[in-house]
Amino acid sequence: MSDSTNSASPSSDYASISSGDQSLQRSSRRSGDGGTRAIVRESRHWHDIFWSAIFVIHLICLGFVLAVLGLNRFRISDRLNIDRYTQGFLENHKGLTEDYWPLYAVAGGIGVFISWVWSLLLGSYANEMMKVSVHILTTYLAVVSVLCFWCRQFFWGGAFAIGALLQFLYVVSVIDRLPFTMLVLRKALKLVWGLPKVIMVAHAFTVFMLLWMSLWSFGASGVVASSMGDEGRWWLLVVLSVSLFWTGAVLCNTVHVIVSGMVFHVLFQCGQEESSSLPPSTLVESLRYAVTTSFGSICYGSLFTAAIRTLRWEIRGVRSKICGNECLLCCVDFLFHLVETLVRFFNKYAYVQIAVYGKGFNRSARDAWELFQSTGVEALVAYDCSGAVLLMGTIFGGLITGSCIGVWAWIKYSDRVIMVGSTAMLMGMVLVGLGMVVVESAVTSIYICFAEDPLLIQRWDADFFTEMSEMLHRRLQHRSARAREVLTTA
């Protein structure tokens, strides 16, 4: 998994992938009986039911709490007489829910607008928009940091400054990978824009997320307007934000599973004489499996996957720049291997296995990672940073949303700027992320298909197949050279 791993066996399997001898043998097995079996809709079993039940119960209970928190300050201060339970934290604040609810409504509108505009611009100006995602985020974080310091918000100024520094270091560490990343993202966009129904699904889930956010922001507005002290309000907002993050992740990964199933079908049917288009039932079946038998696995994976993946990117970036300090390198290596172990059980490629085969989440994650390692494609996956580029666009969209609402809140309620602005930023990130996940799903499906059956990619786009094969060959050679270097110096 690390660059120093000896990959002699995968290298021998893929060294001549362009000529296609070994790949052709594997492809004939999978594209024959195995390939057909991969997309046949068999009866599926329910997986991870406990987590789907937890998620649904969490939504019901939280919905009730949000309604109570919002109603308590709606038009009448302390309508439900909740303040009697917070006597030790009272400030006699006279705010009302409707004072802050319009700010969150505008935040939702801005988030949806940025999501749709970003998606349209990605389809029309892919290279330019991806470069913007990479470079503008560092600048924007630095600017926000300066503004926070200017407003004497030293904690948030320091937080944004650290974020800008980490973002800059990460971009510097992966700058040589960006050309290949841009290539993969362009091909993923080509796949997505060839499936208008996929875009419709993403829009539908965005509308559903907006409906939930209307209730969530109603309760959050009641918390911001409550008579509790800042500490009590912050704790409540943190709990609500974690819930919103999980809900947003579940919806994003549900779209991920639906899109992955669609993309896998597209790639499988390329070059098939008997079918030139997807059957109408494909989308309906993918949607049905995503919200029924596979929904528990989606809820389970959504708890941990995003955090572990982000931590992995940062550790990889730091690790690649450490050379002289052996003590620091040892500590980073320990964290690196710990996170890499977690990635075996929580990775975004599991959702493709869930979509295609209907497995449980942990089994899907292990199978996907073992597939990558056994074929050597893990070297290519580790080199690609398309997920990070899309995440940068998501964070940038959230920052724009939070900044706009923060300025409005500063004009009207200067003592609530950080509370309203930070929660509005989270809303923007969730909504923009729903637009980005469609492209990321196509990327993950491309890698899974390339690992399972390279000829699927070759039939779809021969030039892209050649470039992926050549890059994989170079990465495996690089790893083998690193392994020999480690053995020589040991």
Side-chain angles (χ1 to χ4, degrees), residues 1-3 170 174 177 180-181 312-313 316 336 340 349 369 372 376-386 447 475 479:
M1 298 245 299
S2 64
D3 286 338
Y170 179 78
V174 301
R177 306 181 188 181
F180 177 73
T181 297
R312 182 175 183 245
W313 288 334
R316 277 187 178 274
F336 176 79
E340 292 290 282
Y349 302 95
W369 213 244
F372 286 152
V377 176
E378 191 272 333
L380 202 59
V381 170
Y383 185 73
D384 173 54
C385 51
S386 56
Y447 279 119
R475 295 311 303 167
R479 287 195 168 189

Side-chain angles (χ1 to χ4, degrees), residues 90-101:
L90 292 181
E91 292 181 344
N92 297 318
H93 183 62
K94 300 300 182 182
L96 298 174
T97 298
E98 57 264 33
D99 294 339
Y100 302 97
W101 203 18

Side-chain angles (χ1 to χ4, degrees), residues 245-291:
F245 179 83
W246 188 23
T247 305
V250 168
L251 290 183
C252 284
N253 290 326
T254 302
V255 175
H256 192 347
V257 170
I258 296 169
V259 175
S260 297
M262 296 283 288
V263 169
F264 192 92
H265 276 70
V266 169
L267 293 176
F268 178 83
Q269 292 194 345
C270 283
Q272 301 291 322
E273 296 180 358
E274 67 273 11
S275 178
S276 58
S277 62
L278 289 174
S281 61
T282 302
L283 176 61
V284 176
E285 289 180 346
S286 296
L287 177 61
R288 177 165 62 89
Y289 288 130
V291 299

Side-chain angles (χ1 to χ4, degrees), residues 141-435:
L141 285 170
V143 170
V144 173
S145 172
V146 171
L147 291 175
C148 287
F149 281 121
W150 182 64
C151 295
R152 300 183 181 275
Q153 297 290 339
F154 298 110
F155 172 80
W156 291 102
F160 282 115
I162 293 172
L165 178 61
L166 292 175
Q167 168 66 11
F168 175 75
L169 292 175
Y170 179 78
V171 172
V172 170
S173 69
V174 301
I175 196 71
D176 59 320
R177 306 181 188 181
L178 293 181
F180 177 73
T181 297
M182 300 301 179
L183 171 66
V184 175
L185 286 172
R186 284 198 305 271
K187 297 302 179 180
L189 283 165
K190 173 185 173 182
L191 263 176
V192 168
W193 283 99
L195 295 171
K197 290 182 179 179
V198 165
I199 307 298
M200 292 173 59
V201 167
H203 290 340
F205 273 81
T206 300
V207 172
F208 183 82
M209 190 69 229
L210 272 176
L211 293 175
W212 174 252
M213 279 186 174
S214 63
L215 176 59
W216 185 90
S217 59
F218 182 68
S221 298
V223 172
V224 175
S226 69
S227 61
M228 286 186 293
D230 281 349
E231 184 176 354
R233 277 193 293 268
W234 271 114
W235 275 112
L236 269 175
L237 287 175
V238 167
V239 172
L240 295 182
S241 297
V242 170
S243 170
L244 181 63
F245 179 83
W246 188 23
T247 305
V250 168
L251 290 183
C252 284
N253 290 326
T254 302
V255 175
H256 192 347
V257 170
I258 296 169
V259 175
S260 297
M262 296 283 288
V263 169
F264 192 92
H265 276 70
V266 169
L267 293 176
F268 178 83
Q269 292 194 345
C270 283
Q272 301 291 322
E273 296 180 358
E274 67 273 11
S275 178
S276 58
S277 62
L278 289 174
S281 61
T282 302
L283 176 61
V284 176
E285 289 180 346
S286 296
L287 177 61
R288 177 165 62 89
Y289 288 130
V291 299
T292 54
T293 55
S294 298
F295 189 67
S297 299
I298 294 171
C299 296
Y300 174 49
S302 299
L303 274 173
F304 310 103
T305 305
I308 292 173
R309 181 177 51 174
T310 304
L311 183 60
R312 182 175 183 245
W313 288 334
E314 295 297 338
I315 291 178
R316 277 187 178 274
V318 173
R319 185 172 178 266
S320 65
K321 293 300 176 183
I322 298 176
C323 52
N325 193 327
E326 294 185 3
C327 180
L328 182 59
L329 180 61
C330 182
C331 295
V332 172
D333 269 340
F334 172 76
L335 291 175
F336 176 79
H337 290 298
L338 177 63
V339 173
E340 292 290 282
T341 300
L342 292 174
V343 168
R344 294 175 182 267
F345 300 95
F346 300 98
N347 61 74
K348 61 183 179 180
Y349 302 95
Y351 296 111
V352 183
Q353 297 274 333
I354 291 172
V356 177
Y357 303 110
K359 305 174 185 176
F361 183 85
N362 282 144
R363 182 185 169 190
S364 296
R366 288 196 302 269
D367 288 351
W369 213 244
E370 288 171 4
L371 174 66
F372 286 152
Q373 288 193 307
S374 64
T375 57
V377 176
E378 191 272 333
L380 202 59
V381 170
Y383 185 73
D384 173 54
C385 51
S386 56
V389 172
L390 294 173
L391 179 62
M392 292 173 196
T394 300
I395 294 174
F396 181 66
L399 284 172
I400 293 291
T401 304
S403 299
C404 293
I405 302 305
V407 170
W408 188 7
W410 182 72
I411 294 172
K412 295 188 66 175
Y413 315 103
S414 58
D415 59 333
R416 297 290 186 267
V417 173
I418 301 299
M419 284 185 183
V420 176
S422 58
T423 46
M425 182 181 73
L426 177 60
M427 291 175 64
M429 286 179 59
V430 171
L431 292 169
V432 176
L434 273 169

